[in-house]
Amino acid sequence: MYLSPLFTSLEGFTSIIENLPYCTPISIFNILFNDEIMNLIVFQTNLYAQQKQTKTGKSFIRTNLSEIKTFIGINLLIGIKKQCSYRDYWSSSPDLHDSYISSLTPINRFGWLLTYIHLNDNTVMPKRNTHNYDKLYKLRPFISIILSNFQKTYNPHQIISIDESMVKFTGRNSNKQYMPKKPIKRGFKIWCLVDKHGYLWNFEVYTGKVGDSVENQLGARVVKQLSQPLQNKNHILFFDNYFTSYPFMTYLKSKNIHACGTINLTRKYLPNFKKYKDLKLGEYDWFVDHGDISIVK
């Protein structure tokens, strides 16, 4: 009989959430999307506007923390109350006009923020083909902070899973992926580690191959990277046949991560199973190695 390994880690909300005087959606949002992120946006937006002013000579009014919070709030609301164009919310036509959104900021100021909103300094961005070039350079500070916030506020359940997720995007971008067999065929692919309750605890945005080379063992590398902070805690990790191989399952077990996944029978190092025609309904064939790695057909 299989016994679940002893789980040696805390799970659930950390003290950051538990010590909140009032646990509301906005208080949770302010912890994940905190002032460190907001101040980053304020600083980088003003810096970018200043750099543009140096070239064009046009003056501008610096943004601040309060205005950026309002700007983000409007964008969230626009995602719920959709119009053909953001300008329609400020339209003089009564059937399009939104009195609440239009009262928060003038349309020209909102348009200015859309033009100059920034997350990193373009002037020090590493050049393409250099060793520290990063396709996500313009987003990297934001990604680093929000990922840290995700992990500081919650300890994942013992049962976790790793899979890919697609964020729909049809515009032009070198990081966009095309996956014809997926419900969302075009967009950004993100490798995600989530726990039993669906909490996104770790992630990596996939940016495609590096240079002209195709990365070998991509699936194994992704799982190793995303699960590395959870080693030696006896988590039970599930994934599909894209990631599964016998050597990799052995590696995970050595790190006290107990993995379970489907596997393609064309993979290397698999035993010789009975053929399907020799198996009756309800029967199965199985093998176990000396390290207790088991495989069932």
Side-chain angles (χ1 to χ4, degrees), residues 69-70 125 154 160 241 251 254 256 262 275 289:
K69 288 184 176 181
T70 300
M125 182 167 62
Y154 185 84
I160 55 176
N241 60 14
Y251 166 82
S254 72
N256 287 321
T262 54
K275 295 182 179 180
D289 74 354

Side-chain angles (χ1 to χ4, degrees), residues 56-73:
T56 64
K58 293 182 179 179
S59 61
F60 70 96
I61 300 173
R62 299 175 67 85
T63 189
N64 54 49
L65 184 61
S66 176
E67 185 177 52
I68 288 298
K69 288 184 176 181
T70 300
F71 174 76
I72 291 173

Side-chain angles (χ1 to χ4, degrees), residues 265 273-280 297:
L265 288 178
F273 287 101
K274 292 181 181 178
K275 295 182 179 180
Y276 279 113
K277 65 180 181 180
D278 297 327
L279 291 173
K280 297 178 182 179
K297 178 179 179 180

Side-chain angles (χ1 to χ4, degrees), residues 1 36 99 104 107 122 126 133 178 182 193 253 264 278:
M1 182 178 68
E36 184 180 6
S99 58
L104 298 174
I107 184 173
N122 291 352
Y133 174 71
Y178 175 61
K182 296 291 184 180
L193 184 152
K253 187 171 179 61
N264 191 324
D278 297 327

Side-chain angles (χ1 to χ4, degrees), residues 69-86:
K69 288 184 176 181
T70 300
F71 174 76
I72 291 173
I74 291 174
N75 276 279
L76 291 174
L77 191 53
I78 285 176
I80 299 170
K81 303 172 66 176
K82 295 183 179 180
Q83 297 264 37
C84 293
S85 169
Y86 78 87

Side-chain angles (χ1 to χ4, degrees), residues 44-63 109 112 115-116 118 122-123:
Q44 292 295 342
T45 300
N46 285 329
L47 177 63
Y48 181 64
Q50 182 67 49
Q51 291 167 349
K52 285 292 185 180
Q53 182 195 32
T54 303
K55 294 180 179 180
T56 64
K58 293 182 179 179
S59 61
F60 70 96
I61 300 173
R62 299 175 67 85
T63 189
R109 185 60 178 176
W112 184 90
T115 301
Y116 289 96
H118 253 64
N122 291 352
T123 62

